[in-house]
Amino acid sequence: QRARLEERAAGLPVDFLGFIHDRGDLARHLAVADVTLAPGPFETFCLAALESLACGTPIVASRSSAVGEIIDGESAAGSVADNTAAAFADEVVRLTEIDEPQRRGTARRLAERSPWTRTIETLLADYASRTRIKEIA
């Protein structure tokens, strides 16, 4: 649906970059964005959201994804939205009205609270609670 989205975004400050192979380039693009959208209804490790937050860019994510667990009340760092364009747009506007240094600093601090070790520990604990596995060596 890229062609259709590009057509709809004509004249707006929106860039469609496609896949970015180089990590440094990706980080630079994320760091200058105002907001990152995570519209997918299912998100497992929330890696894209965490990368955005680590670059100081807040996120708007689908209410049905796990990203909301990362944000957890840090409204300057991001928000969750119902799966409609209007709901996402409202949250983008709300975030961009927050003082830029505040929202970028909050996003970075939030990412620092979610290292990979915490992600893996949480994932393993969730698996263990849903199965008969008591310990994973």
Side-chain angles (χ1 to χ4, degrees), residues 30-100:
L30 286 173
V32 299
D34 294 314
V35 176
T36 297
L37 302 181
F42 306 108
E43 180 71 41
T44 52
F45 295 111
C46 306
L47 181 58
L50 285 170
E51 288 174 336
S52 178
L53 292 170
C55 291
T57 302
I59 55 174
V60 177
S62 168
R63 184 171 308 285
S64 58
S65 77
V67 177
E69 294 176 24
I70 294 172
I71 298 168
D72 193 29
E74 293 288 353
S75 62
S79 61
V80 293
D82 291 332
N83 292 329
T84 67
F88 268 76
D90 288 345
E91 291 305 315
V92 168
V93 169
R94 184 190 68 75
L95 282 169
T96 56
E97 289 174 343
I98 297 171
D99 180 61
E100 185 175 3

Side-chain angles (χ1 to χ4, degrees), residues 44-46 50 70 114-125:
T44 52
F45 295 111
C46 306
L50 285 170
I70 294 172
S114 300
W116 266 112
T117 52
R118 179 176 173 219
T119 300
I120 297 302
E121 289 167 0
T122 302
L123 179 66
L124 291 175

